[in-house]
Amino acid sequence: MKILVAGGGKPLYFLCRRFLAKGCRVTVVNRDADECGRLSRQLRAIVVHGDGTDPVKLEEAGVREADVVLAITPHDPDNLVICQLAARCFSVPHVIAVVNDPDNETAFQKLGVNAFATTRIIAGLIEQRAAFQEITSLIPLGEGRVIVTDILLQADMPAANRSLRELELPPDALVACLVRQGQAVIPRGGTQLLPDDRVMLISLPENHGPALRAITGERKGQART
Amino acid sequence: MSAHHYVVIVGCGQTGSRLANRLSAQGQSVVVIDRRPESFAALSLEFSGFSLEGDGTDSACLEQAKIGQADLVVAATREDAVNMMVAQLAHRVYRVPRVVARVFHPERASFCRELGLTTICPADATADAVLGLVGFGNSSCGCREDS
């Protein structure tokens, strides 16, 4: 897979390192000559010095062969233009913008560009972790549109000692897997949830709260009536 | 534009400020947005519109300028990408009937026209004017309008 990444800074460096480790071919487009020099020494990637919003420069960087274009500059309008050029002028199949201002997620969406804001994802993670001690990991997938939650079931939680069928989970939420005494179990409707089970919950962000409550009960800190 | 119109101009540089001054002198209602408040010094004493300090790519700022009621939005900051984003928001999100983007880079400008935006490219416009002046003018693309 060939990925073209426009932008700079530490996030770009670490993302590229990861893409390269997974065997992708990576091209970086960066405006800053010094940073380009540094990146070309640090990464086994093609580094092109130039402005990613310039269609001529994008073409020089081989955008036509790219499977994915990722725009992660600190400047949201640049990210928009880079993605639109890649998709519309150069027919790149997947273009993704990482926006700095979370409000631009919807603005970009309306202009036909897939976008997500890292600040929103991080803020969501922190809020949810802070709210539930028993939740040990939360993984946003699909640009944060799917959430995987790992819950250590306590005896006083409403889901304990009940079968999956009896749980009143909202739509778009699924208990995908249990880990019981070190063994992974793919549960069926009749499977009982027991205290100390680790429950893997998959949910959409809009149903994440209700789904968690169905399993863990009221939020911590709130009065239980 | 003889009737009364509401115009939002993003970018109060040389172009934005001159346009604002002239439209205001014609009696149009004008709001000028710029990130740098010092840029509003270029507005004339007779300018009777409003100046708004803010980022024109920020929807909250555009809404504060009542962009939804605008008859015309002109994006004339010094950055092409900003002008392209502002113009697209005005055109596609806020459904402003007339939107003009100033885009310096000729390649980007032609892409802008593909996006359906009325675009003025100063380099193309100057080249057209020179060719017109010396009588060689035929193909005009400085401020071509696509529908």
Side-chain angles (χ1 to χ4, degrees):
Chain A
M1 188 161 74
K2 189 176 169 192
I3 305 182
L4 186 145
V5 190
K10 288 239 159 64
L12 173 131
Y13 169 71
F14 288 112
L15 272 173
C16 289
R17 224 173 55 169
R18 200 183 159 108
F19 295 149
L20 288 163
K22 287 188 182 284
C24 300
R25 287 187 297 144
V26 176
T27 303
V28 176
V29 180
N30 183 294
R31 271 178 161 173
D32 183 272
D34 291 340
E35 192 172 0
C36 282
R38 238 183 356 261
L39 287 169
S40 65
R41 284 191 297 277
Q42 291 170 329
L43 294 170
R44 291 169 53 87
I46 297 169
V47 180
V48 177
H49 174 224
D51 177 356
T53 67
D54 177 349
V56 179
K57 199 48 90 174
L58 276 182
E59 190 158 22
E60 257 178 51
V63 69
R64 283 189 196 281
E65 290 83 51
D67 301 296
V68 180
V69 165
L70 181 63
I72 55 167
T73 80
H75 202 45
D76 286 347
D78 287 355
N79 293 333
L80 176 72
V81 172
I82 291 164
C83 286
Q84 289 186 318
L85 281 169
R88 300 183 64 141
C89 285
F90 301 110
S91 312
V92 175
H94 302 285
V95 298
I96 304 156
V98 177
V99 291
N100 301 279
D101 178 351
D103 291 346
N104 279 338
E105 276 186 331
T106 41
F108 277 40
Q109 230 62 263
K110 286 177 190 163
L111 301 178
V113 171
N114 253 326
F116 65 93
T118 45
T119 44
R120 184 187 52 75
I121 295 170
I122 294 167
L125 284 175
I126 292 170
E127 276 169 25
Q128 287 155 347
R129 279 206 191 201
F132 298 96
Q133 258 180 3
E134 293 80 10
I135 296 162
T136 50
S137 71
L138 270 163
I139 316 158
L141 298 174
E143 298 154 24
R145 287 183 238 296
V146 182
I147 299 176
V148 180
T149 316
D150 175 2
I151 305 157
L152 182 60
L153 208 63
Q154 309 289 310
D156 62 348
M157 289 179 175
N161 301 308
R162 291 177 73 185
S163 70
L164 205 52
R165 194 180 292 126
E166 292 169 307
L167 278 188
E168 283 172 18
L169 281 177
D172 302 323
L174 172 75
V175 173
C177 182
L178 299 174
V179 179
R180 179 173 295 163
Q181 292 160 353
Q183 297 285 321
V185 180
I186 305 295
R188 307 187 70 90
T191 307
Q192 289 274 327
L193 302 179
L194 301 176
D196 296 326
D197 282 355
R198 307 197 73 93
V199 178
M200 306 280 176
L201 174 72
I202 298 181
S203 59
L204 301 188
E206 46 276 29
N207 286 328
H208 182 67
L212 268 182
R213 272 193 292 281
I215 294 172
T216 65
E218 286 299 311
R219 277 169 173 266
K220 288 220 165 285
Q222 283 180 353
R224 296 184 186 203
T225 49
Chain B
M1 298 219 308
S2 51
H4 184 260
H5 289 91
Y6 181 51
V7 185
V8 175
I9 297 170
V10 181
C12 192
Q14 289 178 353
T15 306
S17 63
R18 288 181 74 80
L19 200 55
N21 289 335
R22 285 172 68 172
L23 285 166
S24 180
Q26 285 177 17
Q28 314 292 0
S29 298
V30 182
V31 173
V32 196
I33 300 173
D34 202 295
R35 280 191 304 195
R36 296 156 300 131
E38 62 273 19
S39 67
F40 299 130
L43 296 171
S44 68
L45 290 173
E46 291 75 33
F47 177 75
S48 61
F50 292 94
S51 54
L52 179 62
E53 182 187 341
D55 179 348
T57 63
D58 179 355
S59 296
C61 174
L62 292 174
E63 281 162 27
Q64 201 186 337
K66 298 196 169 62
I67 190 168
Q69 295 165 30
D71 303 296
L72 168 66
V73 169
V74 182
T77 74
R78 62 175 105 173
E79 286 176 67
D80 285 357
V82 169
N83 295 341
M84 290 168 74
M85 182 165 168
V86 169
Q88 288 185 74
L89 288 173
H91 177 59
R92 292 179 54 184
V93 178
Y94 297 102
R95 304 277 167 204
V96 176
R98 301 214 68 181
V99 178
V100 180
R102 192 255 312 264
V103 176
F104 289 104
H105 191 301
E107 298 279 343
R108 262 195 300 259
S110 53
F111 173 61
C112 235
R113 293 184 191 107
E114 281 172 35
L115 290 175
L117 300 169
T118 305
T119 308
I120 294 172
C121 174
D124 284 338
T126 308
D128 289 348
V130 170
L131 293 176
L133 212 59
V134 296
F136 297 162
N138 47 4
S139 69
S140 156
C141 57
C143 53
R144 191 178 63 208
E145 193 170 323
D146 292 66
S147 53

